[in-house]
Amino acid sequence: MKTWLKEIWEFLIEPWVSPLVMMVLAILMGLLLNFNFYLGGWAEEKETAVWQSLVLTPEPEICALCEDGIWMNYHGPCLVSLSSGEIRELEVYQIQAGETTEESSGGYVHFFNFDGAWSSGNMVTHTCEVTLPEEMKRMDGAHFCRDCRAKLAAITTEGYVLVDLYDAEHFALYPVTAGEEYVIREYTVTVFQDEKTERLTVHVAGNR
């Protein structure tokens, strides 16, 4: 079921697909959802509902990722919340004229909370750590254009995705999965399961 839904989604994101075709296929997906529920496939029914929502939800006037996100001049890696569309830069350096600097404001530490994720960063040690919530919320397609929905959904349909927006026109997406490590320009990003909190944690360290 999941494979067929993804194939339908890949077809729908083609620019030539008309709204009428989208509506017909969405109805068919709804019938599949009901049939699957009748068979008792609860997990598959939930997955079908997610893909149906991604198809039916109208596009926003401004996509949170490829339109709004690219104007923010992010230097460090960012987390994007699929449920709220919020993007948060995981800062470990101070930025001047779009580039990192060794200068710091002496013990400058920052904290933030967004969509259930808690973060602390230190501009002196050039580190930042984010603890993700225990329960991951589903993607809300209302925040993203059809193209970005497809790119994000290829990774996951719930929780968060790591994104590098430094080259905004060719941004890169990375799964937030325990055991993964990414080197993104001047940053090393490690994802692990915290032994104490048992929650997924993202650690960023400057590697200049």
Side-chain angles (χ1 to χ4, degrees), residues 17-69:
V17 177
S18 68
L20 179 60
V21 174
M22 288 182 60
M23 182 178 297
V24 171
L25 289 176
I27 292 173
L28 291 176
M29 291 176 69
L31 293 175
L32 285 172
L33 186 153
N34 292 328
F35 178 70
N36 194 54
F37 178 74
Y38 175 77
L39 293 178
W42 176 247
E44 287 291 333
E45 183 272 337
K46 289 172 64 179
E47 186 69 17
T48 305
V50 171
W51 288 95
Q52 184 185 32
S53 173
L54 293 180
V55 172
L56 290 175
T57 303
E59 291 184 301
E61 292 185 6
I62 299 177
C63 176
L65 185 57
C66 70
E67 294 178 303
D68 189 36

Side-chain angles (χ1 to χ4, degrees), residues 37-166:
F37 178 74
Y38 175 77
L39 293 178
W42 176 247
E44 287 291 333
E45 183 272 337
K46 289 172 64 179
E47 186 69 17
T48 305
V50 171
W51 288 95
Q52 184 185 32
S53 173
L54 293 180
V55 172
L56 290 175
T57 303
E59 291 184 301
E61 292 185 6
I62 299 177
C63 176
L65 185 57
C66 70
E67 294 178 303
D68 189 36
I70 66 174
W71 299 110
M72 298 303 294
N73 296 317
Y74 296 113
H75 189 281
C78 303
L79 278 178
V80 54
S81 167
L82 301 188
S83 62
S84 69
E86 184 176 355
I87 298 174
R88 192 75 192 201
E89 182 178 7
L90 309 182
E91 300 173 281
V92 301
Y93 293 112
Q94 291 196 51
I95 306 300
Q96 292 182 1
E99 298 299 331
T100 59
T101 175
E102 291 296 335
E103 297 179 7
S104 67
S105 55
Y108 176 54
V109 178
H110 62 83
F111 302 90
F112 66 81
N113 170 35
F114 80 107
D115 200 28
W118 286 91
S119 172
S120 62
N122 191 309
M123 296 294 191
V124 177
T125 60
H126 305 305
T127 57
C128 180
E129 193 161 285
V130 185
T131 301
L132 302 183
E134 186 174 356
E135 295 185 8
M136 301 294 184
K137 300 177 183 178
R138 295 183 185 179
M139 183 194 302
D140 184 351
H143 302 296
F144 309 102
C145 67
R146 289 169 61 194
D147 188 44
C148 284
R149 290 178 201 174
K151 292 177 181 178
L152 292 167
I155 295 176
T156 183
T157 57
E158 61 182 21
Y160 305 80
V161 170
L162 188 69
V163 57
D164 179 13
L165 286 165
Y166 183 70

Side-chain angles (χ1 to χ4, degrees), residues 147-205:
D147 188 44
C148 284
R149 290 178 201 174
K151 292 177 181 178
L152 292 167
I155 295 176
T156 183
T157 57
E158 61 182 21
Y160 305 80
V161 170
L162 188 69
V163 57
D164 179 13
L165 286 165
Y166 183 70
D167 182 0
E169 293 185 358
H170 305 91
F171 62 86
L173 299 171
Y174 305 87
V176 181
T177 307
E180 295 290 349
E181 181 175 285
Y182 310 105
V183 176
I184 303 174
R185 292 173 292 102
E186 301 169 40
Y187 307 87
T188 298
V189 182
T190 307
V191 186
F192 62 94
Q193 198 83 22
D194 188 273
E195 294 182 357
K196 294 182 179 179
T197 64
E198 297 184 349
R199 294 190 178 185
L200 206 58
T201 302
V202 179
H203 180 84
V204 181

